[in-house]
């Protein structure tokens, strides 16, 4: 067994759940214990539990039952301790002060935070505040800056692709245009990959504002060529060319005033512009739930195992990331408040364009 001064480690999951969280937790705990003699403290419900000292010892968990299970055994929340902090009415402590107390009470040498952009931004702020923190990249959106992959993404591709393929039979049987709304508020990685995998005819992404006239012209040409149906893979954050001109404030206001989600609006716009019968189906939380795919189990297991080494070597303030198929440390300060967008030179986007898929631009 290797030696390290990092003996007791807290683990939390924050933000939306995603397939692979339990596999990552399992790998971290097994590797940390077997290789370094570490002990792990589970923190319930994300940063909320860290503030409230809602914790438990993880030594009696049956890790053999965890590796292929979806969700998170730790629970999760979207609490952000640095956003509009107010003193606790009972203790009078600010969130960061309460977190210090949790560290002291449990004799934590370090904390591992598994989550997406918000989680790792908070992890960066905790590190700046003097806490020993390591981040891990979890999100079905695959939008964490600095890492090429996030666990949960590949499982979501599988689910979204299966959903589109299932809807295709209805579209073909009824001669309809079917708009399939896919998760992705700010980025379109999931919509792009699932759309290509399922052979969608049109893909709409947040990064590429669409012109409904160009989509209509594309669908009409397709119809004239003898294709009686079409599939539109639409990210929930897709926007049109007029919305792209709005300020951030006005755009947010416009979205709040929408009676339905973007997929339904796009379906209505297509039907009005073409006269083609058009329907929308929202895949929703199906994409985030369920058990992880073998790929995500392998990825999260590798990252969890590497996180134990990061802890032992005191490589704090880093995200355990994937770069050029290698696991590396990326400073959390470089990850915080950033998102990884689909850029025009992305190889998958280029592939989709070469295949003749319409992006409405």
């Amino acid at each position: 067994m290797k030696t390290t001064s990092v003996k007791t480690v807290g683990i939390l999951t924050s933000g939306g759940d995603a397939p692979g969280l339990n596999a990552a937790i399992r790998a971290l705990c097994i590797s940390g214990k077997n290789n370094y003699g570490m002990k792990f403290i589970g923190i319930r419900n994300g940063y909320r539990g860290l503030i409230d000292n809602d914790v438990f010892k993880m030594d009696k968990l049956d890790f053999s039952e965890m590796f292929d299970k979806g969700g998170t055994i730790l629970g999760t929340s979207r609490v952000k301790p640095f956003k509009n902090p107010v003193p606790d009415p009972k203790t009078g402590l600010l969130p960061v002060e309460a977190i210090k107390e949790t560290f002291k009470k449990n004799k934590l040498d370090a904390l591992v935070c598994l989550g997406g952009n918000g989680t790792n931004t908070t992890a960066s702020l905790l590190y700046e505040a003097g806490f020993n923190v390591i981040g891990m990249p979890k999100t079905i959106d695959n939008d964490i800056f600095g890492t090429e992959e996030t666990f949960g993404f590949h499982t979501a591709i599988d689910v979204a692709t299966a959903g589109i393929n299932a809807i295709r039979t209805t579209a073909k049987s009824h001669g309809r245009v079917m708009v399939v709304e896919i998760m992705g508020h700010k980025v379109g990685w999931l919509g792009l990959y699932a759309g290509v995998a399922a052979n969608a005819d049109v893909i709409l992404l947040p990064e590429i504002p669409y012109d409904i006239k160009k989509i209509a012209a594309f669908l009409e040409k397709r119809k004239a060529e003898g294709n009686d149906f079409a599939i539109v893979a639409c990210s929930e954050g897709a926007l049109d060319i007029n919305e792209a001109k709005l300020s951030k404030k006005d755009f947010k206001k416009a979205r709040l005033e929408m009676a339905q989600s973007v997929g339904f609006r796009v379906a209505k716009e297509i039907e009005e512009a073409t006269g083609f019968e058009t329907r929308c189906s929202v895949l929703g939380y199906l994409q985030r739930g369920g058990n992880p795919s073998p790929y995500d189990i392998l990825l999260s297991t590798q990252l969890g195992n590497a996180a134990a080494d990061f802890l032992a070597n005191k490589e704090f303030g880093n995200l355990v990331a994937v770069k050029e198929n290698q696991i590396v440390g990326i400073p959390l300060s470089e990850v915080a408040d950033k998102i990884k967008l689909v850029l025009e030179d992305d190889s998958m986007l280029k592939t989709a364009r070469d295949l003749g898929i319409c992006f409405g631009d």
Side-chain angles (χ1 to χ4, degrees):
M1 186 176 293
K2 303 171 186 177
T3 60
T4 178
S5 60
V6 178
K7 300 297 184 183
T8 306
V9 179
I11 308 176
L12 65 79
T13 56
S14 180
D17 65 313
L21 278 168
N22 288 328
I25 293 167
R26 170 184 177 270
L28 169 58
C29 291
I30 291 176
S31 295
K33 178 182 178 181
N34 291 349
N35 295 324
Y36 302 105
M38 294 175 183
K39 295 180 181 180
F40 293 92
I41 302 295
I43 299 165
R44 297 185 180 94
N45 302 320
Y47 290 113
R48 176 78 271 163
L50 187 63
I51 294 168
D52 293 341
N53 191 35
D54 187 2
V55 305
F56 67 99
K57 294 180 180 179
M58 302 181 71
D59 54 342
K60 294 183 180 180
L61 288 178
D62 185 357
F63 292 115
S64 64
E65 296 295 322
M66 288 172 51
F67 76 98
D68 63 345
K69 299 297 186 293
T72 166
I73 61 164
L74 298 178
T76 186
S77 71
R78 295 189 182 276
V79 170
K80 298 178 180 180
F82 290 92
K83 186 175 182 179
N84 303 320
V86 295
D88 184 274
K90 294 181 180 179
T91 66
L93 296 175
L94 288 167
V96 174
E97 295 170 338
I99 291 171
K100 288 181 181 178
E101 290 301 310
T102 298
F103 262 70
K104 289 178 182 178
K105 289 176 181 176
N106 297 283
K107 299 180 180 179
L108 298 182
D109 297 309
L111 173 69
V112 179
C113 304
L114 294 84
N117 289 304
T119 300
N120 285 292
T121 295
T122 297
S124 179
L125 293 171
L126 284 173
Y127 179 66
E128 290 177 7
F131 296 93
N132 294 333
V133 181
I134 287 174
M136 290 183 64
K138 170 277 315 173
T139 173
I140 68 167
D141 293 325
N142 195 40
D143 63 346
I144 298 179
F145 188 83
T147 183
E148 294 169 359
E149 292 186 287
T150 63
F151 59 85
F153 177 56
H154 285 272
T155 305
I157 293 173
D158 292 347
V159 174
T161 301
I164 296 171
N165 285 333
I167 289 168
R168 179 185 302 280
T169 60
T170 290
K172 191 171 184 178
S173 296
H174 291 267
R176 292 174 177 163
V177 176
M178 293 294 293
V179 178
V180 185
E181 187 178 289
I182 297 169
M183 280 185 161
H185 276 294
K186 296 180 179 180
V187 301
W189 293 106
L190 183 55
L192 174 61
Y193 275 63
V196 173
N199 192 30
D201 305 295
V202 179
I203 298 176
L204 304 181
L205 308 178
E207 295 91 340
I208 305 175
Y210 71 85
D211 183 339
I212 194 63
K213 293 180 180 178
K214 292 184 177 180
I215 296 173
F218 175 85
L219 293 174
E220 287 168 345
K221 181 175 182 292
R222 176 179 164 80
K223 179 86 168 181
E225 292 172 349
N227 298 296
D228 293 330
F229 74 97
I231 296 291
V232 179
C234 176
S235 296
E236 61 186 334
L239 70 163
D240 65 26
I241 53 176
N242 294 316
E243 289 175 310
K245 299 174 184 177
L246 297 176
S247 66
K248 186 176 180 181
K249 181 180 178 181
D250 288 341
F251 176 77
K252 187 175 181 180
K253 181 182 178 183
R255 283 299 162 97
L256 288 173
E257 292 174 349
M258 284 176 58
Q260 291 180 297
S261 61
V262 172
F264 288 96
R265 187 189 74 186
V266 169
K268 183 179 179 181
E269 290 173 336
I270 289 174
E271 189 162 278
E272 290 177 348
T274 64
F276 302 156
E277 185 179 11
T278 309
R279 297 288 186 273
C280 174
S281 183
V282 180
L283 298 184
Y285 291 108
L286 286 171
Q287 299 158 91
R288 209 166 78 190
N291 297 331
S293 67
Y295 189 100
D296 270 334
I297 291 173
L298 292 171
L299 176 60
S300 54
T301 297
Q302 282 186 299
L303 291 170
N305 178 66
D309 294 331
F310 276 52
L311 289 166
N313 297 327
K314 298 183 179 180
E315 296 180 52
F316 304 127
N318 281 302
L319 176 76
V320 185
V322 180
K323 189 172 184 179
E324 297 180 355
N325 207 34
Q326 299 294 318
I327 297 177
V328 299
I330 302 293
L332 286 168
S333 59
E334 296 181 8
V335 176
D337 293 318
K338 296 178 183 177
I339 57 173
K340 182 179 67 180
L341 298 170
V342 177
L343 301 178
E344 191 57 44
D345 62 354
D346 178 75
S347 61
M348 187 60 72
L349 179 57
K350 182 180 183 301
T351 295
R353 289 193 184 280
D354 288 347
L355 290 172
I357 294 174
C358 172
F359 286 85
D361 61 340

